[in-house]
Amino acid sequence: MNRASSPSATNFFDNFHRIFTNLNRKLEKNVQEHLRNVYATVAVGIGVAALGAAIHIFTNILRANLLMAFASIAVMFSLISTPHTRENERKRLGYFLIFCGISGISMGPLLERVIEIDPSCVLTALLSSTAVFGCFSLVALHAPSTKYIHMGGTLASAALCMVFAAFFASYYVIILGGLALSCAFVVYDTQLIAEKSRRGDDDYIWHSVELFIDFANIFKYLLVLLADKRERENRKRRN
């Protein structure tokens, strides 16, 4: 049995290695370096968001409320209005991390509800979001052309349609549509960031904001879907 499964495992790791080898050949060195900075910053932002969510759930220091929403807008405005210079790098990075922390706190009520249903949904949603985000990022980076950059207008129109659809469409249509749209934005934003880097735009902090928002949206939609599924299963067991 081990002999039979060994070639499959070897092929899997060979293919996995080939994906990143081809990516290194395809992307210029400066683009690779920029993307490393972006993804590292996004990873730190996700960690800070998790800390913010934990503060909401386990303490009474900070709670999600309307004031937090205004604070998030204020921090984002501060980040946008601060010029991208070497001198302002730490300040802008601080704004980004504060935004991530507030985002995590704002997600606290949803996480509390999901934990009441099944705590394992949170970890499952996080791992699934990471896998989905990674796969769609690779799709964008491995694309033979920059065709996904031209999706901007279509995605903006789709997002506007989702806003209006919220008034009459079913709950699951909104959730699934939002998830699909968020995945499409990962492809669009990733390819746009790579192209901007080729043209000299090295603002990795703002690019991290875009991808962090994409990741957070995917996580929220998957979390809701998993929690609803588990809640239906629990109801069936009770009946």
Side-chain angles (χ1 to χ4, degrees), residues 140-157:
L141 295 175
H142 276 284
S145 65
T146 57
K147 59 183 179 180
Y148 295 121
I149 292 178
H150 306 292
M151 292 169 48
T154 303
L155 292 177
S157 300

Side-chain angles (χ1 to χ4, degrees), residues 38 42 186 188 221:
V38 170
V42 171
V186 171
Y188 169 75
Y221 287 125

